[in-house]
Amino acid sequence: MKIKYLAVAIVASLTLSACIATQTNQNSTAQSAAVATNTNKVFSQNYVFKELDNGLRVLIVKTDYPDLVSVQIPVSVGSRDEDEVGKTGFAHFFEHMMFKGSEKFPQAVYADLFKNAGVDNGAYTTNDYTNYHLDFSKDHLDKVLEIQADHFKNLTYTEAQFKTEALTVKGEYLKNNASPVRKLLAAVRKEAFDSHTYKHTTMGFFEDVEAMPEQVAYGKKFFKQFYKPEYVSLVIVGDVEPAATMAMVEKHWGNWQRGDFVNDITPEPKQQAAKYVHEKFDGLPGHWLLVSYKGADWQPKKKDRAALDLISELYFSNNSALYQELVVDKQLASQMFNYNPATKDAGLRHVFIKVNEEKDLAIVRDAINQTYAQARTELVSTEKLDNLKSNLKYSFVNSLDSSESIASTLASYMHFDRDPETINHLYNSFDNISADDIKRIANKYFIDDNRTTVTLSALDKVTGFEQEVDLNAAVAKREVKKTPASKAQFALLDNTNDSPLIDVNFLFYTGAAADPAGKKGVAALMASMLTQGGSQTRSYKEIQQGLYPLAGQFSSQLDKEMISFTGRVHKDNAQPWYQLISDQLLNPGWREDDFKRLKKELIDGIKSGLKSSNDEELGKEVLYSELYQGHAYAHYNSGDLSDLAAITLDDVQAFYHAQLTQAKLHVGITGALPRDLKAQLLSDFATLPVGDEKRLSIAKAPVLKGHHATIVEKNAQSTAVSFGFPIDTMRNDTDWAALWLVRSYFGEHRSSNSYLYQQIRQARGMNYGDYSYIEYFPRGMYQTKPDANLGRSSQIFQVWLRPLRSNNDAHFATRAALYELDKLIEKGMSEKDFQATRNYLTNYAPQLVASQDQQLGYALDSEFYQTEEFVNYVRGQFAKLSLADVNRVIKENLQTDNIHYVFISGDGEDMKKRLLSEQVSSLKYNAEKPAELLASDKIIESYKLKLPSENVEVIAVDAVFQ
């Protein structure tokens, strides 16, 4: 479970008549009067809460964030409810199917409406619920509610659509299966549970996913059972008038008919002994360990659940003594984290560890269980427990800086019992937990019979792992033992205001492009040392301990021409937070143990993170590397493995002194930073070397001639594809907004409205999504919106095709994307598509700067590119655009004569053979398809990529970024 505190002031004046609703004020209903006596009422906002006659529950919160509204629709159905044999994965599958639309609002119609309205919509599925979320301008609230209500009441799809989407889900399963963490979770659930539906993940068992195309009849049954108002909550947060909003809800949702299905899930029998299973993962670098214990069911008014969450944070977070021992001090582990999803029934509480040496698996396993023995025998200090509670409170305040974040938090709790006061019950339990409670509850749950352990590696078995810790024996054994200021020469963007959240961004115009020859990765190591290493006066552990009760954040982001050191803290804690982080930045400790640990983590991140477990990001990074050969952008931001191994601590210090100068520094401040602290900050950073170079000098991209392909061969079940070419149009160019619009139309990131997505994923069900870019966008598989502070002097046009099921499909999808790109260049956009995309981006642009830290980051980027504020900039450019302008920009910027393709494949030679022979890549469907689509397929399956043999290379993944 992600622990949350809902504690942000939102003032709403609510006056409703003729509606039986809960209003949270002192003179409201008996229900709210009872809530008012709660000593820890962390959810203190005014709200309207009503259950309609049909069982639908509606929660409305008015906020002061202008214009934007977030609608979240949690449905109380998840993989837990899939109790029919052979029918797992359907909760997640219907997350997909709900986007097919209804007879009144089919997908093509509502997608067009949403695009013009700038609606950002998506969904996700968990063990216990499925959530649909939409963010948009308040002017479109009534239409969004109407469309969503019709979808929930009248979902419509054809058998062909059902079968096509089943193939998409299979592709998603294969994509996810490349992650070692997901494989561990699937393995531990399958082993730990005998009869409960938590035995399978939200994706379901693979054999059931494969059989989905033939389960059309069951799909209708599933939808009829669970998609009924008594299973659904409607959470609406934003710049709304509650009375008028409730009237809209009743108008569109009030006639939805209640169902009568009640699901009775068989309880899991008591586990009788500790369990262990080993999973083999061919080609996986290092070794993974997962230790999981069965915990409590959802009981917010009792202490068990709350105490278990606190135990996880106290003993297994990155602020714990065990993390310090295994990761920082002894460096036996390169990764360690806990994961405790909130579940209705008793679920699993996990601790993950990754080690490099097989012999260390048993050592870290025993360390985990000895730590549980410690929790059972020793009382945690009151100060430590109080610090944790303080951290949780302020961490939550820091996270709630938009209507979307408030709404999504409410949705994550509403699904349990469809009552917003659940949050208050839970956090009242947190505050009432004592050290004695921690010890008592640890003894109740952390016992041998509740444990399941999983190892994952390329080995057939792990040697020396048979004898696990006997917790009772371990517990018994423990019981027996019982400077002068100078004028600042850096740029300052001072956006201080009355917000209680303070965001500070120290943005240096330098980065990986400044890495010297033979020392690729030194910038990455330096950035890590400054945020994850100690200072001259404090060790890293002491800094973590200092930040912990403050809930202070401080991290770095590295790119080619920018290093951003960002921090956030509540104004109450600003002074001690600043003393800690400024000491890290201005007085680094340069400790050898920090250096060794962080170098090891960087190397492990490349080997087992990027190269082993993230085929999509690997493909994109290889594309950049190939396009920028011999250029400052050629190497991966984290460095080359051989260079990293040779870099010394002296190299890192030299880079710090040469590159982190006032001339390159742009400081951004927002929030209620005290005046005296701001003055101290300006004085402190004026002690940095002045320097004379304001930003790096970056050459133009190398000239690309002809068609090229790089095939990276590795252990992969699917084939990832990226291709592109350098472009000259940057954000500050006159034509950039038009090109940004074209990119959105062709392949808006993570949007089902884009043309490429509709052709490859929607119509053909080939993969999870297909997108295009004109600016660097890392980590795209994890986030829906781009990060700020990735400014570059050179960019590429890129197409990203998410993993395909086979080399044949990858070949076809690449041809399809090229075919559609050629059509776009030849014919341009239509007036309708131009208007719709412009409307979408005009409405969508504010969502990119919806939070305070995003506003600050984008404002600093505007200074880098010398443009006005981002939203005003793009809206102003859009207002002047015509269709003729856009189609001219297409022809001047896009082409297919010079292009580089990258494929990440399990069989590189097969992929190469297909490409060079122009082998026909026919598709086979499991359902009938329109004649027009099949005719198009005939063209695409033989569409020429025109790759000369000398321009096609197969390389082993081991050689990449070496």
Side-chain angles (χ1 to χ4, degrees):
M1 169 185 178
K2 182 180 179 182
I3 302 175
K4 304 170 183 175
Y5 265 89
L6 198 56
V8 60
I10 300 176
V11 180
S13 177
L14 307 178
T15 305
L16 292 181
S17 59
C19 96
I20 304 170
T22 298
Q23 301 183 34
T24 57
N25 56 50
Q26 294 293 325
N27 301 313
S28 182
T29 64
Q31 179 180 347
S32 63
V35 170
T37 65
N38 191 330
T39 57
N40 185 31
K41 192 172 170 59
V42 294
F43 178 26
S44 57
Q45 288 96 327
N46 289 339
Y47 63 84
V48 173
F49 180 51
K50 179 179 180 180
E51 179 170 336
L52 304 189
D53 292 340
N54 59 9
L56 178 73
R57 294 193 180 181
V58 186
L59 176 65
I60 303 173
V61 181
K62 178 179 175 64
T63 71
D64 293 328
Y65 297 105
D67 188 50
L68 295 178
V69 179
S70 182
V71 171
Q72 309 263 338
I73 313 173
V75 184
S76 297
V77 59
S79 56
R80 168 186 179 271
D81 299 283
E82 298 160 356
D83 56 350
E84 292 194 36
V85 176
K87 306 294 193 301
T88 63
F90 268 86
H92 169 253
F93 180 65
F94 265 90
E95 172 208 319
H96 286 238
M97 295 307 296
M98 282 298 292
F99 287 87
K100 300 305 177 188
S102 58
E103 186 174 343
K104 182 178 180 182
F105 295 108
Q107 189 164 29
V109 172
Y110 86 78
D112 188 59
L113 291 171
F114 278 5
K115 184 171 184 176
N116 277 281
V119 177
D120 184 24
N121 63 318
Y124 61 86
T125 307
T126 72
N127 294 313
D128 300 302
Y129 72 107
T130 306
N131 189 43
Y132 301 88
H133 49 91
L134 306 96
D135 301 292
F136 49 89
S137 171
K138 65 180 181 180
D139 295 339
H140 307 294
L141 176 59
D142 186 71
K143 178 56 70 173
V144 168
L145 290 175
E146 178 188 3
I147 291 171
Q148 290 303 107
D150 199 58
H151 289 177
F152 273 77
K153 290 184 286 187
N154 305 304
L155 176 65
T156 303
Y157 54 82
T158 65
E159 183 173 337
Q161 286 178 310
F162 183 97
K163 291 185 174 183
T164 297
E165 199 62 33
L167 287 179
T168 296
V169 170
K170 180 180 177 181
E172 184 180 355
Y173 184 102
L174 293 172
K175 170 184 72 71
N176 291 344
N177 205 44
S179 163
V181 172
R182 289 182 182 270
K183 290 180 79 73
L184 283 165
L185 286 171
V188 77
R189 291 172 65 157
K190 189 174 183 180
E191 185 71 18
F193 292 100
D194 291 328
S195 58
H196 195 279
T197 47
Y198 287 159
K199 188 175 183 70
H200 63 270
T201 66
T202 54
M203 290 297 299
F205 293 126
F206 185 62
E207 57 268 26
D208 296 347
V209 174
E210 285 194 303
M212 269 183 182
E214 307 310 318
Q215 301 287 354
V216 177
Y218 179 76
K220 294 178 180 178
K221 174 186 175 183
F222 186 91
F223 179 76
K224 183 178 180 181
Q225 287 176 337
F226 293 107
Y227 279 75
K228 291 295 183 181
E230 69 272 19
Y231 281 88
V232 178
S233 301
L234 194 56
V235 180
I236 305 172
V237 180
D239 188 6
V240 299
E241 292 304 321
T245 301
M246 186 64 77
M248 293 179 199
V249 171
E250 293 187 317
K251 175 176 65 173
H252 298 304
W253 296 76
N255 64 351
W256 189 12
Q257 295 301 304
R258 180 193 289 265
D260 57 8
F261 178 75
V262 178
N263 207 17
D264 186 17
I265 301 300
T266 303
E268 175 72 10
K270 180 176 172 53
Q271 189 170 323
Q272 299 301 313
K275 299 180 178 181
Y276 165 65
V277 64
H278 173 71
E279 289 282 316
K280 184 178 181 183
F281 190 156
D282 290 335
L284 180 70
H287 311 268
W288 281 89
L289 168 73
L290 172 58
V291 179
S292 304
Y293 283 83
K294 288 189 175 127
D297 58 357
W298 180 250
Q299 39 176 304
K301 296 182 181 180
K302 297 181 181 180
K303 290 186 175 182
D304 289 36
R305 173 78 208 191
L308 289 172
D309 286 333
L310 293 174
I311 289 169
S312 290
E313 292 300 305
L314 286 165
Y315 293 99
F316 300 103
S317 70
N318 59 9
N319 194 56
S320 66
L322 186 63
Y323 182 94
Q324 179 72 28
E325 176 189 355
L326 298 181
V327 180
V328 180
D329 294 339
K330 295 182 178 178
Q331 298 184 28
L332 295 177
S334 58
Q335 295 185 50
M336 172 182 164
F337 54 92
N338 61 38
Y339 173 54
N340 307 300
T343 52
K344 287 183 179 178
D345 302 327
L348 294 169
R349 314 187 64 78
H350 310 287
V351 177
F352 294 82
I353 292 192
K354 181 178 183 296
V355 300
N356 288 327
E357 303 295 333
E358 177 191 6
K359 62 181 176 59
D360 292 333
L361 281 171
I363 296 173
V364 297
R365 175 204 61 193
D366 293 349
I368 290 172
N369 288 318
Q370 287 289 355
T371 302
Y372 280 121
Q374 178 188 355
R376 290 176 55 180
T377 54
E378 299 178 10
L379 287 176
V380 65
S381 74
T382 301
E383 180 185 8
K384 193 171 185 179
L385 191 56
D386 288 344
N387 281 346
L388 173 58
K389 294 173 183 178
S390 172
N391 177 272
L392 301 181
K393 175 182 177 180
Y394 286 112
S395 291
F396 193 87
V397 173
N398 288 354
S399 71
L400 290 180
D401 62 350
S402 67
S403 295
E404 186 278 332
S405 63
I406 296 170
S408 63
T409 299
L410 286 168
S412 70
Y413 287 106
M414 281 289 288
H415 75 92
F416 284 110
D417 48 20
R418 302 168 71 230
D419 179 0
E421 291 301 325
T422 293
I423 300 172
N424 290 326
H425 298 322
L426 177 65
Y427 284 96
N428 189 51
S429 297
F430 276 121
D431 262 10
N432 291 330
I433 297 293
S434 67
D436 286 321
D437 292 325
I438 294 288
K439 182 178 175 182
R440 174 179 57 82
I441 291 169
N443 276 282
K444 179 179 178 181
Y445 289 95
F446 299 117
I447 59 177
D448 293 312
D449 290 353
N450 269 353
R451 183 175 65 245
T452 302
T453 306
V454 182
T455 51
L456 179 75
S457 74
L459 302 175
D460 292 323
K461 63 174 293 188
V462 178
T463 57
F465 203 80
E466 294 75 17
Q467 186 61 48
E468 287 201 72
V469 168
D470 183 326
L471 267 182
N472 287 336
V475 168
K477 187 174 181 180
R478 284 175 172 270
E479 291 286 11
V480 171
K481 290 181 178 180
K482 239 158 181 182
T483 356
S486 57
K487 184 179 179 182
Q489 300 293 315
F490 52 84
L492 174 66
L493 178 63
D494 187 355
N495 287 348
T496 50
N497 53 46
D498 294 332
S499 169
L501 302 183
I502 296 170
D503 285 291
V504 181
N505 190 329
F506 303 97
L507 181 64
F508 289 90
Y509 284 179
T510 187
D515 283 346
K519 303 183 190 302
K520 305 304 183 185
V522 69
L525 265 173
M526 183 207 67
S528 296
M529 289 287 287
L530 297 183
T531 54
Q532 299 175 61
S535 64
Q536 290 181 16
T537 58
R538 298 175 181 88
S539 69
Y540 181 49
K541 180 180 180 180
E542 290 170 333
I543 291 171
Q544 286 181 302
Q545 291 174 336
L547 289 173
Y548 188 67
L550 312 178
Q553 300 173 13
F554 187 53
S555 61
S556 62
Q557 175 183 273
L558 168 75
D559 192 36
K560 298 298 187 223
E561 299 179 57
M562 287 185 172
I563 306 177
S564 175
F565 299 96
T566 58
R568 167 173 284 190
V569 71
H570 191 274
K571 66 177 183 179
D572 295 351
N573 302 322
Q575 182 70 41
W577 170 83
Y578 174 73
Q579 295 306 323
L580 291 168
I581 68 100
S582 62
D583 207 24
Q584 280 184 288
L585 273 179
L586 298 175
N587 303 297
W590 304 125
R591 289 172 170 81
E592 189 69 32
D593 58 342
D594 285 336
F595 174 69
K596 289 179 178 177
R597 168 175 56 86
L598 294 169
K599 181 196 280 195
K600 184 178 178 181
E601 288 181 8
L602 272 178
I603 291 172
D604 186 67
I606 297 173
K607 286 183 176 179
S608 61
L610 179 71
K611 293 169 64 170
S612 174
S613 306
N614 196 336
D615 297 355
E616 299 176 279
E617 203 74 7
L618 176 63
K620 293 191 289 181
E621 293 296 342
V622 170
L623 176 63
Y624 273 93
S625 179
E626 292 294 332
L627 288 175
Y628 285 99
Q629 285 296 309
H631 188 275
Y633 285 6
H635 65 283
Y636 182 46
N637 281 342
S638 293
D640 290 335
L641 290 171
S642 58
D643 283 11
L644 278 170
I647 289 173
T648 66
L649 188 53
D650 287 342
D651 295 329
V652 176
Q653 293 184 59
F655 189 90
Y656 171 83
H657 293 300
Q659 294 296 327
L660 266 56
T661 64
Q662 293 187 63
K664 290 179 177 174
L665 174 59
H666 291 245
V667 177
I669 304 171
T670 187
L673 184 69
R675 183 175 301 176
D676 58 341
L677 188 56
K678 180 167 66 175
Q680 182 184 348
L681 183 155
L682 297 178
S683 174
D684 289 345
F685 279 81
T687 62
L688 285 171
V690 175
D692 52 11
E693 183 185 50
K694 293 185 178 297
R695 60 189 288 178
L696 302 179
S697 178
I698 303 297
K700 286 190 174 184
V703 176
L704 177 67
K705 293 184 178 180
H707 290 194
H708 302 255
T710 300
I711 305 165
V712 179
E713 185 173 69
K714 58 164 294 192
N715 179 33
Q717 293 181 310
S718 53
T719 303
V721 183
S722 291
F723 67 82
F725 48 82
I727 55 175
D728 293 327
T729 302
M730 300 296 106
R731 191 182 294 188
N732 56 348
D733 290 329
T734 304
D735 287 339
W736 182 85
L739 191 59
W740 195 57
L741 184 149
V742 174
R743 164 213 61 86
S744 179
Y745 161 73
F746 193 62
E748 178 67 52
H749 177 72
R750 301 291 288 273
S751 171
S752 58
N753 291 325
S754 69
Y755 184 77
L756 207 56
Y757 181 104
Q758 290 169 357
Q759 295 302 311
I760 297 176
R761 185 241 165 105
Q762 196 63 47
R764 296 177 171 91
M766 297 190 69
N767 63 351
Y768 195 61
D770 308 278
Y771 319 115
S772 60
Y773 308 89
I774 61 169
E775 291 187 333
Y776 183 55
F777 192 150
R779 302 172 289 277
M781 64 185 295
Y782 303 115
Q783 56 195 63
T784 59
K785 297 178 178 67
D787 291 317
N789 306 143
L790 297 168
R792 292 189 172 192
S793 302
S794 179
Q795 300 282 3
I796 71 171
F797 174 79
Q798 178 186 8
V799 170
W800 172 31
L801 308 180
R802 303 203 71 174
L804 287 304
R805 294 179 295 263
S806 65
N807 280 348
N808 179 79
D809 285 8
H811 196 185
F812 182 95
T814 306
R815 285 169 153 164
L818 188 69
Y819 171 71
E820 300 299 349
L821 182 58
D822 278 334
K823 281 179 24 181
L824 176 66
I825 295 168
E826 178 186 355
K827 298 180 179 179
M829 291 176 63
S830 69
E831 182 68 32
K832 177 184 176 183
D833 289 333
F834 163 64
Q835 294 290 351
T837 308
R838 180 166 65 175
N839 290 342
Y840 168 76
L841 290 176
T842 299
N843 286 286
Y844 176 72
Q847 295 187 38
L848 298 176
V849 292
S851 63
Q852 181 173 280
D853 59 336
Q854 289 173 309
Q855 291 169 7
L856 182 62
Y858 269 79
L860 287 167
D861 284 346
S862 293
E863 293 197 346
F864 178 82
Y865 287 112
Q866 294 295 293
T867 63
E868 61 179 313
E869 185 274 328
F870 181 77
V871 175
N872 290 334
Y873 174 58
V874 295
R875 284 180 167 176
Q877 293 293 313
F878 286 161
K880 297 182 286 187
L881 278 183
S882 67
L883 177 62
D885 294 327
V886 169
N887 286 335
R888 171 187 58 79
V889 167
I890 290 173
K891 289 188 178 297
E892 290 179 359
N893 287 270
L894 303 184
Q895 50 82 32
T896 58
D897 293 331
N898 307 298
I899 201 161
H900 199 116
Y901 303 91
V902 173
F903 302 88
I904 310 297
S905 172
D907 190 341
E909 291 302 326
D910 172 73
M911 193 74 237
K912 179 178 181 179
K913 179 181 177 183
R914 291 173 180 275
L915 295 175
L916 293 181
S917 67
E918 299 282 9
Q919 181 176 330
V920 174
S921 51
S922 304
L923 287 188
K924 293 182 180 179
Y925 298 106
N926 63 356
E928 187 175 347
K929 292 294 181 182
E932 184 180 358
L933 181 71
L934 296 177
S936 209
D937 284 0
K938 279 296 180 185
I939 298 172
I940 292 170
E941 67 185 21
S942 300
Y943 205 68
K944 305 297 185 185
L945 298 185
K946 302 176 183 176
L947 284 158
S949 59
E950 64 271 17
N951 289 356
V952 179
E953 180 185 21
V954 178
I955 58 175
V957 69
D958 290 344
V960 175
F961 303 132
Q962 191 59 42

